[in-house]
Amino acid sequence: GDPPVVVVNRPERAKINADEILTISGSVLANGTAVPASDLSAVYVWDIVGPRTAEFEVQSLAGSPYFALGKESLIPGQTYTLELRAALMEGAAFGTAKIQLQVNQAPTSGDCSVNPQVGEAVVTDFALACSGWTDEPEDLPLSYAWSVLHANFNFSTEPNEHDTYRMMLWVSHSQAHSTPKGGLTTALVQKTLSKKNQVVLPEGEVEDEHKIVLRGCVYDIFQGRACVIRRVQVEPFGSSGATTARYQYGRSNRQLLARG
């Protein structure tokens, strides 16, 4: 008989990213209606044409209406042809559908910095800045985000009382979006078009000389990203004489006002 109509569903974004798992579905039509994925009589054969990396890995099962590739299977900047051949049953005629997949290139050529390199928890204003990043014109504008990598905090799933207090103090000053309770990162700056931002930070871990690991990421409109890791030293709150003096001065003024 005549070959059936076959459909490959395009990804949501016009460009895909090599560092993400790629999952695409397809279908074969019978009398104008897509055959359910649960119908095991239909036959599906996928193929992708284009250069492959050493990490190329098809994660979907053979004969499935779904096609999945592992991360880093494709090369940024390349265009691929994804083909689905499908039939309503074994021995029946095959129909064919193809789509083009363009792999995004992440922003390049820039850098991100944190200043100062040493500061005091909750008090010091750390300047976060990214500059020099470029991308294809159709990938603009770029956005910027910063987070703390939790490996340096060594918080357990349930932080102890001191850790919880310290993080509450930090959040109250910096409007951080979450506190580290078993996750991988804590957001400092959500995606913004601003290249320059300012935050305060919690005390770094004593075991790591009060160091904190920050990650600055630059995103294009297709969510392609490039990230930079920066380490800063954040001493305990009140460790500088100036801070102690400011605190005592403020407390004295409050006491005088209360008396007045």
Side-chain angles (χ1 to χ4, degrees):
D2 294 334
V5 175
V6 177
V7 176
V8 177
N9 298 312
R10 295 183 176 277
E12 293 182 0
R13 298 192 293 257
K15 293 183 180 182
I16 61 175
N17 293 302
D19 62 353
E20 298 174 348
I21 294 175
L22 172 66
T23 303
I24 292 180
S25 63
S27 58
V28 56
L29 277 57
N31 299 320
T33 302
V35 173
S38 58
D39 187 340
L40 301 181
S41 61
V43 180
Y44 303 89
V45 180
W46 292 91
D47 188 28
I48 187 165
V49 179
R52 304 179 179 187
T53 67
E55 291 78 24
F56 183 88
E57 178 189 11
V58 176
Q59 296 185 340
S60 49
L61 297 175
S64 168
Y66 301 97
F67 179 77
L69 284 180
K71 296 179 180 180
E72 313 299 344
S73 290
L74 305 178
I75 300 174
Q78 296 290 327
T79 299
Y80 294 79
T81 299
L82 180 63
E83 177 184 273
L84 172 60
R85 297 175 58 246
L88 295 173
M89 63 184 68
E90 286 286 352
F94 276 87
T96 302
K98 299 179 181 180
I99 62 170
Q100 298 291 309
L101 298 174
Q102 187 174 359
V103 185
N104 188 26
Q105 286 187 298
T108 60
S109 305
D111 197 10
C112 295
S113 63
V114 182
N115 284 295
Q117 298 298 304
V118 180
E120 184 179 335
V122 182
V123 175
T124 302
D125 289 322
F126 288 89
L128 314 177
C130 294
S131 61
W133 294 93
T134 62
D135 209 332
E136 298 295 327
E138 65 268 22
D139 296 359
L140 302 177
L142 301 179
S143 57
Y144 307 85
W146 286 85
S147 58
V148 175
L149 299 188
H150 280 194
N152 251 49
F153 286 103
N154 296 322
F155 282 130
S156 60
T157 302
E158 294 297 330
N160 61 42
E161 183 177 349
H162 170 69
D163 290 334
T164 303
Y165 169 75
R166 184 173 66 184
M167 292 309 298
M168 287 173 62
L169 186 64
W170 174 37
V171 171
S172 69
H173 283 75
S174 67
Q175 289 80 50
H177 298 278
S178 61
T179 54
K181 292 186 177 181
L184 296 176
T185 63
T186 293
L188 281 177
V189 178
Q190 299 280 31
K191 288 179 185 175
T192 172
L193 295 177
S194 175
K195 299 178 181 180
K196 297 181 178 181
N197 295 276
Q198 189 168 286
V199 299
V200 295
L201 296 170
E203 174 190 340
E205 287 302 304
V206 175
E207 296 82 0
D208 196 25
E209 300 179 338
H210 296 289
K211 296 291 179 58
I212 285 181
V213 180
L214 303 182
R215 181 178 66 184
C217 291
V218 185
Y219 295 83
D220 61 27
I221 64 171
F222 300 109
Q223 304 308 308
R225 71 174 185 176
C227 296
V228 174
I229 301 298
R230 293 289 177 260
R231 291 169 64 88
V232 295
Q233 184 174 331
V234 187
E235 297 292 341
F237 175 76
S239 59
S240 72
T243 299
T244 303
R246 286 200 305 270
Y247 173 74
Q248 291 175 341
Y249 175 77
R251 183 173 61 178
S252 298
N253 279 352
R254 286 194 298 274
Q255 289 173 342
L256 287 172
L257 287 171
R259 290 174 185 172

